[in-house]
Amino acid sequence: MRNMSEKDQLDRAKRGIDSNTLLLFITIALFVVMYAVGCIVYSGKGFAHVQTFLNLFITNAGLICVACGMTCVMLTGGIDISVGSLIAMDCMLLAYGMGVKGYPSIPLLVFVLAVGIVFGFVQGFLVGYLQIQPFIVTMAGLFFARGMTAVICTDQISITEKANPTFYAWANAKIYLPAFLGYTNNRGRVQIPFIRPTVMIALVTVVVIFLLLKYTKFGRALYAVGGNETSAAMMGLNVKRTKLMAYVLSSFLCSIGGICYCLNTMSGSVQQAKGFEMDAIASAVIGGTLLTGGVGNVIGSLFGVQITGTIHTLVTTNGKLLSSWANIATAALLCFFIVLQSVFAYVKNRSK
């Protein structure tokens, strides 16, 4: 009987891998086609420049980190809608600490990361050990973090060079790419493409989480819990602890994303990152992560972020379309991938 269970689990794992691969290929192909069309249609407006492509990473560095964390939670069959409010609280802590109190940047960054770990531990404990619905728990976290942001300060605070030269220097640092990738602008000046340190942070995050999910026991446990929680428990996996750690990881990555977000905006306010949780969920779903859990990967989520970023860039480059068209296009893509996921789920159930 034990051998049959192991065989069934192996079969399910193979189907999960197949679903992962196919959904990832679809996402990558969609991004390549979408960006290629943009390069052709808007070549005269600079869309084909290397810097335009790199700006997708610069602008969305924080979202990439958050989407990685969201992917880990969704792999267990959960959800985390508190990430936008947590980012707002992180930014306010940094802005208030540096801009008003004059605290040094390093201790504040460590404190923000610690806040993320504690925040995720509380949510993970409520979801994993008390078995409260993830949506309810993280909605409470959403209201709490947004409320605490206002408690810290209701005004918008900017982080200036005078307030914290170190953090300001990090935010404005540029990592230049080889000169042959540059181009000459309308004024005859050669523009060498560059990225920000936040992009390096985001890419390292993607690589680390990819390796964690693929090669560690914890990563395999996330897939197993999301694929079939009962089977995972029968295999000896600690389901409650796995869920707890998933939310801790998600909030920790969210705090890393909050630091990247703050480096991009150099400010903190109560209204920051509103709707950010929906962007992260949409990116993960478009990247191939199943809402029911058990299937997904951070590489797909990375391309999901790039797809939504490309949509906004295309609308902005057009210049004649309202910004709301980007939301409409994202919603259409989201519906397409949800339907696609339903088809995969149907095929998976039929093959059992």
Side-chain angles (χ1 to χ4, degrees), residues 290-313:
L290 291 183
L291 292 170
T292 53
V295 174
N297 61 78
V298 291
I299 302 300
S301 299
L302 170 63
F303 279 95
V305 171
Q306 297 301 78
I307 286 174
T308 57
T310 300
I311 292 173
H312 283 86
T313 304

Side-chain angles (χ1 to χ4, degrees), residues 119-130:
F119 194 86
F121 183 87
V122 173
Q123 292 194 140
F125 180 81
L126 294 174
V127 172
Y129 285 86
L130 300 187

Side-chain angles (χ1 to χ4, degrees), residues 167-283:
F167 198 77
Y168 186 87
W170 291 344
N172 290 277
K174 295 180 179 180
I175 302 173
Y176 287 98
L177 272 63
F180 70 86
L181 295 174
Y183 64 95
T184 304
N185 62 15
N186 295 332
R187 298 180 179 179
R189 297 179 180 177
V190 176
Q191 301 292 317
I192 300 176
F194 64 89
I195 58 175
R196 303 284 188 184
T198 53
V199 177
M200 301 301 297
I201 295 173
L203 293 180
V204 168
T205 299
V206 171
V207 172
V208 170
I209 301 303
F210 173 79
L211 295 176
L212 182 144
L213 292 177
K214 190 172 180 63
Y215 296 108
T216 68
K217 183 178 178 181
F218 172 67
R220 292 190 292 270
L222 291 177
Y223 284 101
V225 170
N228 191 313
E229 191 172 314
T230 303
S231 296
M234 292 177 63
M235 291 174 61
L237 296 177
N238 191 327
V239 175
K240 294 180 180 180
R241 186 175 63 187
T242 300
K243 289 185 176 181
L244 168 66
M245 294 307 298
Y247 282 90
V248 170
L249 181 60
S250 174
S251 294
F252 177 72
L253 293 178
C254 183
S255 289
I256 293 178
I259 293 171
C260 293
Y261 191 91
C262 191
L263 284 167
N264 279 341
T265 61
M266 291 299 288
S267 65
S269 75
V270 179
Q271 302 300 321
Q272 268 186 324
K274 276 198 170 182
F276 212 73
E277 57 278 351
M278 296 299 108
D279 293 334
I281 295 171
S283 299

Side-chain angles (χ1 to χ4, degrees), residues 90 93-94 98 104-118 167 170 252 255-256 259:
D90 290 338
L93 284 171
L94 293 172
M98 297 180 199
S105 54
I106 299 296
L108 274 175
L109 295 178
V110 174
F111 178 70
V112 164
L113 294 177
V115 167
I117 292 174
V118 173
F167 198 77
W170 291 344
F252 177 72
S255 289
I256 293 178
I259 293 171

